[in-house]
Amino acid sequence: MTKKYFYILLFATLNVISQNVGIKTTSPEEELHIAGATSTIRVEGLNEINNVNNLGTNSTSKVFVNEFGDLVLGELKDNIQLIFDSDNYLRDVQNPTSLILQTGEGSGFSEAGIPTLGLAASFTLTAPAVVEINYSVSWNLGKNASPTSRIDDYRARVVQTGVYFRLNDYTGPPVVNDYFGNPINGGALCINSSCTQVAGMIGINGQIYNNEDKDEGVWSGFRNSASDYVILGPGTYTPMFAAQLEVGDTNATGAIKMYLGVENDEVQVIAHYFN
């Protein structure tokens, strides 16, 4: 009798093992099936307190499968790291450091703006990474750069902005090539009026400004926003802005000036480590 009971118990155990397990469902379709549109899984051994490879608040730590099939956190080089997320990246000034002079058609970019974060605006990559930049930068423009002397020539203008990188702090040399030695965004652009400095720019975006009524040109309240990516190697970098103000015909347009970063300017830098 005892031997027969053992066989029955063994059969029942194997039958349970072969079945799918369902959570919040009575008809699981996989070996482990968790139902529900808002279902989640928590592994406390992977959280910030218990695992040194968890990057913690404001970052995302990737989960990998090791050779045993265990779920593990990747090391820093495998993860996504929020470098900084600034609500006001550029100094709110209207002086030569933020001035963009009007040009005709062409690549008349000029650097503008100094980070409010100072040296804290720099970030260091210890391994190659895809660097993601998200920004929203403010600008204004006017005749002789005066709120009471607005543009009145009826001519449309294009305002373009972009981001480039300098090595180390904001006084360092501009970066031209990516980690693989390729020109960033297909080729360097001038970042000053004399074109003595060039840089690889990303996140180039623009919009058209036009005043339809004489003396009704709007002075401020504009923004350019963009997102872009570039692969950078190990090193210390500082994101910087460059912009251009173009007009098709410069004859009799007056001393039109634009200032960049006159209000709050959002900049977010995220590193996606891959190697």
Side-chain angles (χ1 to χ4, degrees):
M1 178 66 68
T2 303
K3 188 174 182 180
K4 183 178 180 181
Y5 175 78
F6 173 76
Y7 286 147
I8 294 173
L9 178 63
L10 178 62
F11 174 78
T13 303
L14 292 175
N15 186 48
V16 172
I17 292 175
S18 66
Q19 292 178 351
N20 295 340
V21 176
I23 299 175
K24 294 184 179 180
T25 177
T26 57
S27 56
E29 298 178 5
E30 298 292 343
E31 292 182 12
L32 176 61
H33 184 165
I34 303 176
T38 58
S39 297
T40 58
I41 298 176
R42 174 173 294 183
V43 181
E44 292 191 353
L46 302 182
N47 66 20
E48 180 183 5
I49 297 174
N50 297 317
N51 198 305
V52 296
N53 289 320
N54 189 301
L55 296 178
T57 305
N58 297 328
S59 298
T60 300
S61 304
K62 291 183 179 179
V63 176
F64 294 86
V65 178
N66 66 11
E67 67 273 25
F68 305 109
D70 299 331
L71 299 180
V72 297
L73 289 182
E75 297 180 358
L76 176 62
K77 60 187 178 66
D78 303 313
N79 288 319
I80 301 173
Q81 185 177 21
L82 178 64
I83 303 297
F84 54 78
D85 187 1
S86 175
D87 292 330
N88 192 19
Y89 187 74
L90 297 178
R91 296 178 185 174
D92 300 336
V93 296
Q94 190 169 294
N95 62 29
T97 66
S98 61
L99 174 63
I100 301 294
L101 294 174
Q102 177 178 270
T103 65
E105 296 177 337
S107 298
F109 282 92
S110 296
E111 59 184 341
I114 297 177
T116 57
L117 299 172
L119 296 179
S122 302
F123 62 92
T124 299
L125 301 177
T126 57
V130 178
V131 176
E132 175 185 349
I133 291 285
N134 304 299
Y135 76 81
S136 177
V137 64
S138 61
W139 50 269
N140 63 22
L141 65 133
K143 187 175 181 180
N144 299 314
S146 169
T148 60
S149 182
R150 298 175 175 176
I151 299 174
D152 57 5
D153 57 19
Y154 299 97
R155 293 179 183 172
R157 288 165 173 81
V158 176
V159 177
Q160 286 188 300
T161 55
V163 171
Y164 69 98
F165 297 90
R166 288 188 178 273
L167 289 174
N168 302 317
D169 61 26
Y170 58 84
T171 65
V175 178
V176 175
N177 298 323
D178 65 13
Y179 168 64
F180 299 107
N182 301 317
I184 295 174
N185 211 9
L189 294 173
C190 299
I191 56 172
N192 60 2
S193 57
S194 60
C195 205
T196 55
Q197 289 197 57
V198 296
M201 293 183 59
I202 63 173
I204 299 177
N205 190 24
Q207 56 180 302
I208 295 176
Y209 167 87
N210 187 25
N211 58 300
E212 298 179 352
D213 299 314
K214 191 177 181 64
D215 297 323
E216 292 298 327
V218 179
W219 166 254
S220 63
F222 297 97
R223 289 184 178 275
N224 282 12
S225 300
S227 297
D228 209 346
Y229 302 83
V230 64
I231 300 177
L232 298 177
T236 299
Y237 304 89
T238 300
M240 300 293 293
F241 278 94
Q244 65 177 357
L245 172 62
E246 292 183 285
V247 63
D249 184 1
T250 59
N251 293 323
T253 60
I256 306 302
K257 297 179 180 180
M258 179 177 78
Y259 289 99
L260 195 71
V262 293
E263 299 176 359
N264 287 358
D265 310 290
E266 299 178 16
V267 175
Q268 183 184 71
V269 181
I270 302 173
H272 303 257
Y273 291 97
F274 66 92
N275 197 356

